[in-house]
Every structure is written in C-alpha cells, then in structure tokens.
Amino acid sequence: MSSQKTVHKKKGEGPGSKKELFTNKAILKLNEKYKPFWALKKSEAVLEWDVEVNMPEKGASSRGFAMSQLALLDQIHIADLYPALDNIRKMQNGLNDYEKGVVRVLEFWRRYYTRIPPGLLEEEKKVAVEGTVVWREARKKSDYKSFRPYLERMLEIKLKEADKLGYKDHPYNALLNLYEEELTVQDIDQMFSRLIPKLKIVLQKVKSEGRFPSSHNLEKETYDQQALVKVNKRLAEILGMPKDRFRMDISTHPFMTSFSRDDVRITTRYEGKDFARSTFGTVHESGHAIYELQIDEKLEYSPIDGAASTGFHESQSRFWENIVGRSRAFVSLTSPMLREELKFLTKYSDDDLYYYFNMVKPSLIRVEADELTYNFHTALRYDLEKRLLSQKIEASELPSIWNDTMEEYLGVRPKTDAEGVLQDVHWSQGMFGYFPTYSLGNVISGMIWHNIRKDMDLEKTIRHGDFSPIKAWLYERIHNYGATYTPKELVTKSFGESFNPDRLIEYFESKYLS
Ligand code: MG
C-alpha cells in the first residue's frame, strides 16, 4: 500500500459524513445478500456470550448441539454468495479499497468453507469439546498422560486441515492464516529472533537495577467484590465507554464480544484479592471494545465490519492495558477514585500503586506474566507448535521440552505439568497458530506508542483524563477501516513500515531503563 489516504478521511468527511463507501452496484447487491449470514454470525455470538455469562452448567450439551446446527446454516448461507462473487471477480479493476476488501474477505471464507470437508469440521468440533473436558480434569490433576491422546488426535486433524487448505513451505502457515491473513512462519521467526535476545538484555538490566519489584504487599490485600465492581464501572466511565452501546458482566475468563457496533460487551472476573488482576482485565477488554465501537458505521452489516486481524485486535487491548493503564499518568488520574472505593489503599501512595501495577516477575503462567516476560511464553508455544506440526517432535516429548525451554528463557522450571504444558486451553480446542498473534499484538502496540507520540504528548493527555484525542488517533490510523485491508497492508499504511519489534523494545527501554 502507498501512503495515499482514503477519500473519506479528508477534512469534513469523518464519521457522520454523507459519503458512501460502497458505490459499485454489484458490491451493493453482494452486501445485501450477505445480511442473513451477518445476522446468523451475530446471533451465534450472543449464544456464545450467554454460555460464559448466564448458562447453567447442564445447558452445555444442548447448546453445543444448537451451535453445531447453526454452523451448518453458516455454510449454506455463505454458499449463496458464490455466484455473485464470481461475477465480481471479472471486474476487480473498477473497485475502491472498501469494495476490494469485501471481495477479499468473502473469498477467504469461500476458500475455508469449500476446502474443509464438513466431516472434518464436525470431527474437529467433537474432539475439541471432548478434549476440552478432558483437559480441564487433566489440568486439575496435573495428568498430562490422560490428555495426550486427545492432543494427538487434534494434531492429526489440524495437519489434515492444513493439507486441505493448502500452504507454501510449512503446514503452520495454513493454520496461522486463519487468525492472521498473509502472515507466514518466516514473519513470526523474524519477529521472535529480533524480540527475544533484546528482551533478555532488558530483563537482565531491570533485574540488576532492582527498581521494579517482583512481589508487592498489595497482591495480598483482599477486597470487597461490590466495591471492585464499582471501581470497574468507574474505570469504564473514565475511559469514556458509551453507556448506551457498551455493557459489562462477570465471567470466569474475561473476554470481549460484539453483536454490532452499537452493542459491545466485555466481562471481568473477581477473585477476592490482588485487585489489579480484575481492573487491568477491565482496561484490556475495554481496549478491545473501543476498536469495535469505532469501526466506521458505514461498513456495518458488510463482510468488513470487523477487525483487521487477531493481532490487530490484541494490539488495542495491550495498548490500553499496558501503555495507557500501567503509566504513571494513569495512576495519578485514577488513584483518587481507587482510594475512594478501596479503603485499604489509603495506606498506599501513588508510587506504591505504580510499582504494584508494574511488577517484573518471571513466572510459569502466561496469563499472569508481566509485559516484559509475556513474549517468552508465546515464543515457547509457537516453537513447540511449529515443531509438532512439522512432525519434528512428538506429543510425548512436550512436557520435558516445555520445562527445559522455560528454564532457559526465564530461569524458572515447572514442578508439575499443570503449571507447564497443561496450562492453556488453546490446544485442546484446536487453536494452533493463535499464540504468536498475542506477541504480534504487543509489537503493534509498541508501534502505536512510537507513532502516537509524534502527534501528542501522551503522558499529558492521559493525565488530563480526556481520551478523545487518543481514540481519534486510533480511529484515523486503524479502527475506521474495519477489515478493509489485510493486517500487513494496514500496518504499512498506518505506520509507514512493516511489523517492527524494535518499537516495543524502545518502549520497554524508555519505561524500565531510563
Ligand atoms: Mg485480549
């Protein structure tokens, strides 16, 4: 992509302007035909949200049945679009960027739904459901052996899937592309080989300086849940989340989902102590939500009214959580409110809060990792996934390779498989290729940090508590486009360079070493 700006970004043509993004008659027709599929997908999202937030335990199997039937309807409805898509293929030249985006996204789905036989999809769903149940028990008992047959089965399915989808160079590419279009093993190898050695140096320096603690008294403070619910509500207000388009609920695993750009949901969890785990969950998921809330409304109900990719989505949550939320400015903005609601905080200064929010502690568990050690966890999983899928290692070797690599990366060794190879749900659900997108999200958040500071004093803006300039910046560079561009195109268009891990390292150095 060149640096050419799209038409609707010119002055006076922002949100609310009359300019239509789709003008080509064939595309307008295609978008019309797409609507039942859109409605189906969004209804499925409501059902999935309900599983996590409201559904009684016993509802699982009937809900699973309903969901699989709806998945069959997806396949039928998307097939309705193929003839119209074939017609358009002949006239690609006359299309604008948005219209090309529509064709690209639909072609992507067509490839997926026509290449994967329904039998394989069904088998994957079945093994995923069974495997997840077995995994949950196995993790509780730290019993890798009982989970291993399901993992082996899932690996066979994923390899078949990669073969059906087709790939160049590495079967991992086929699976990676389901989350991050166009991204290859080569890109990810390059990212980690630039990231990991530099992270090791930063981490070593932070450790030897000893300014950032590895534990904090605030971790042990217990809180009243009602009080923290209020804190999270007030945090959402401070972030400017629109009350009439946004909703917060409680679930075991925090997540964000969107039913339309005017109905975006997040969840938070409450564990009784260590309140930052809950509040940063809220800030993280709100970051995801802001993306969905700011996609151009003229894209709504079209195939490109979602995010550019999994990595881009994660870049938003990590930017708000770490770069905004864990900054000194955000501490000073929010600490009066925090002390009002959580009485035990009156004993603690803003400095205490800052270091509590920014502990650096090599840990065994990915979801508890701080921003400096987080990428080691994803690098490890990516490396294992790649070697499993190229059949260089076997599932039986996983626990020992896992433990050795953790020790090499972070100097900590799991005592049980529960704190090692069994900790994440992803593999039981067949989500091979997902982990590297977490790190890609971190890398993009570093690029946002690098670039946004050319246009505003970030610290001052945060301290001031008016986030509209930051949101407007993200809207301009990323949000408004939805999925118009591939992630590779969007990163170049927005930041004038391809994925650059050095920006994240620069951010770490400026925060932790200066
Ligand atoms: Mg996230």
Side-chain angles (χ1 to χ4, degrees):
M1 292 313 298
S2 68
S3 61
Q4 178 203 355
K5 304 249 164 100
T6 42
V7 179
H8 88 288
K9 271 173 53 180
K10 280 183 194 157
K11 224 177 175 182
E13 293 188 1
S17 80
K18 298 278 187 309
K19 178 115 184 135
E20 287 307 327
L21 306 181
F22 302 115
T23 52
N24 181 287
K25 287 217 172 69
I27 293 285
L28 288 169
K29 227 184 204 169
L30 187 64
N31 282 349
E32 251 336 279
K33 267 193 161 311
Y34 173 78
K35 283 177 179 169
F37 184 75
W38 183 94
L40 202 52
K41 280 298 202 191
K42 294 300 184 183
S43 309
E44 287 167 35
V46 179
L47 289 179
E48 279 161 13
W49 169 85
D50 178 73
V51 168
E52 304 293 327
V53 175
N54 293 316
M55 191 187 73
E57 233 171 276
K58 286 264 176 179
S61 72
S62 54
R63 182 62 55 88
F65 174 71
M67 298 297 296
S68 68
Q69 294 305 301
L70 288 168
L72 293 176
L73 284 182
D74 288 345
Q75 206 154 13
I76 294 166
H77 276 286
I78 194 102
D80 283 349
L81 298 169
Y82 299 160
L85 210 46
D86 286 331
N87 281 335
I88 289 165
R89 200 185 272 161
K90 295 168 202 150
M91 41 170 260
Q92 279 274 14
N93 288 337
L95 303 181
N96 68 28
D97 284 5
Y98 300 100
E99 294 162 346
K100 281 180 194 154
V102 166
V103 174
R104 192 193 85 251
V105 167
L106 288 178
E107 289 290 3
F108 179 86
W109 285 344
R110 188 222 294 246
R111 264 198 309 280
Y112 181 79
Y113 280 115
T114 53
R115 288 185 185 179
I116 306 282
L120 189 60
L121 269 187
E122 215 176 324
E123 199 190 350
E124 185 184 346
K125 283 225 164 93
K126 193 169 149 266
V127 175
V129 173
E130 287 172 12
T132 306
V133 175
V134 172
W135 165 78
R136 229 174 257 147
E137 267 315 289
R139 189 172 77 151
K140 259 188 221 155
K141 297 178 188 150
S142 198
D143 175 19
Y144 177 69
K145 264 196 210 124
S146 65
F147 175 59
R148 202 177 93 195
Y150 292 86
L151 182 60
E152 284 166 345
R153 193 78 205 89
M154 185 54 91
L155 276 166
E156 274 171 41
I157 292 168
K158 296 314 277 191
L159 275 171
K160 264 190 216 162
E161 207 177 301
D163 274 335
K164 295 284 181 196
L165 289 168
Y167 57 84
K168 245 177 104 191
D169 305 331
H170 203 295
Y172 198 81
N173 286 337
L175 304 178
L176 185 60
N177 285 347
L178 298 178
Y179 303 105
E180 209 65 35
E181 220 177 323
E182 292 184 339
L183 209 74
T184 64
V185 159
Q186 210 186 351
D187 296 319
I188 302 288
D189 284 344
Q190 225 174 54
M191 173 178 79
F192 280 126
S193 68
R194 278 164 77 183
L195 212 49
I196 294 298
K198 286 180 178 167
L199 274 173
K200 280 184 179 165
I201 297 169
V202 175
L203 198 57
Q204 195 49 48
K205 281 188 191 158
V206 170
K207 249 191 326 257
S208 66
E209 282 179 8
R211 206 153 42 94
F212 290 84
S214 62
S215 66
H216 202 285
N217 284 340
L218 274 166
E219 286 174 276
K220 286 164 225 131
E221 294 280 6
T222 56
Y223 59 78
D224 168 53
Q225 184 168 325
Q226 279 323 302
L228 202 63
V229 169
K230 226 172 142 199
V231 166
N232 281 324
K233 276 195 183 141
R234 291 182 68 178
L235 272 175
E237 268 165 39
I238 289 171
L239 292 171
M241 308 309 287
K243 275 201 181 106
D244 51 354
R245 301 169 58 209
F246 171 79
R247 186 186 153 94
M248 269 166 77
D249 289 276
I250 298 174
S251 73
T252 322
H253 303 286
F255 68 99
M256 186 280 315
T257 184
S258 157
F259 306 148
S260 80
R261 70 183 294 284
D262 287 326
D263 185 353
V264 179
R265 313 281 179 103
I266 70 163
T267 67
T268 311
R269 67 173 152 198
Y270 296 90
E271 296 156 307
K273 60 175 188 175
D274 200 2
F275 76 92
R277 290 163 64 100
S278 177
T279 56
F280 280 99
T282 299
V283 180
H284 179 101
E285 301 308 334
S286 294
H288 281 301
I290 290 166
Y291 194 169
E292 298 285 335
L293 289 161
Q294 295 212 113
I295 290 171
D296 197 309
E297 62 185 321
K298 291 184 225 74
L299 298 180
E300 186 148 50
Y301 310 128
S302 84
I304 55 169
D305 72 349
S309 71
T310 316
F312 257 99
H313 228 310
E314 191 68 6
S315 74
Q316 302 307 295
S317 56
R318 299 294 277 181
F319 172 76
W320 286 96
E321 177 193 350
N322 292 328
I323 296 172
V324 175
R326 295 185 204 273
S327 66
R328 280 201 181 272
F330 198 73
V331 170
S332 81
L333 173 71
T334 54
S335 65
M337 177 278 281
L338 289 172
R339 282 194 201 96
E340 230 173 272
E341 303 296 347
L342 302 172
K343 297 300 171 212
F344 57 82
L345 285 182
T346 47
K347 313 192 283 269
Y348 295 94
S349 66
D350 278 14
D351 226 39
D352 289 328
L353 279 171
Y354 178 74
Y355 285 109
Y356 165 53
F357 294 156
N358 288 290
M359 289 184 288
V360 177
K361 171 173 56 179
S363 70
L364 295 166
I365 308 295
R366 176 184 59 87
V367 296
E368 293 170 9
D370 56 78
E371 55 177 343
L372 277 185
T373 57
Y374 189 91
N375 295 298
F376 290 95
H377 293 264
T378 46
L380 158 75
R381 286 153 178 77
Y382 164 66
D383 187 48
L384 293 179
E385 286 183 344
K386 211 173 61 176
R387 287 155 77 187
L388 281 168
L389 285 161
S390 51
Q391 290 162 297
K392 292 204 169 99
I393 57 170
E394 285 176 15
S396 60
E397 301 168 87
L398 271 188
S400 63
I401 301 178
W402 181 293
N403 296 348
D404 291 345
T405 316
M406 268 314 277
E407 203 167 356
E408 184 205 319
Y409 276 170
L410 292 172
V412 287
R413 190 178 182 89
K415 287 192 191 72
T416 65
D417 288 335
E419 15 173 75
V421 71
L422 284 175
Q423 65 182 274
D424 295 306
V425 70
H426 301 57
W427 290 347
S428 67
Q429 298 188 341
M431 293 163 75
F432 287 85
Y434 195 100
F435 285 119
T437 70
Y438 288 123
S439 279
L440 192 68
N442 290 333
V443 164
I444 301 170
S445 78
M447 297 177 81
I448 295 170
W449 174 83
H450 176 82
N451 284 287
I452 200 171
R453 285 157 52 255
K454 293 175 190 164
D455 296 325
M456 71 183 75
D457 183 335
L458 190 59
E459 280 282 315
K460 207 169 141 192
T461 309
I462 297 170
R463 205 175 289 271
H464 192 248
D466 174 11
F467 292 104
S468 48
I470 298 177
K471 288 183 190 168
W473 195 93
L474 293 171
Y475 169 84
E476 273 268 310
R477 300 288 180 117
I478 300 166
H479 299 168
N480 80 88
Y481 298 115
T484 302
Y485 301 105
T486 69
K488 276 188 179 177
E489 287 169 344
L490 186 58
V491 80
T492 314
K493 187 178 177 62
S494 301
F495 307 126
E497 61 177 344
S498 55
F499 296 115
N500 185 354
D502 295 345
R503 307 304 184 198
L504 184 66
I505 298 291
E506 286 161 27
Y507 157 69
F508 287 147
E509 286 173 342
S510 103
K511 175 169 175 177
Y512 291 94
L513 298 176
S514 64

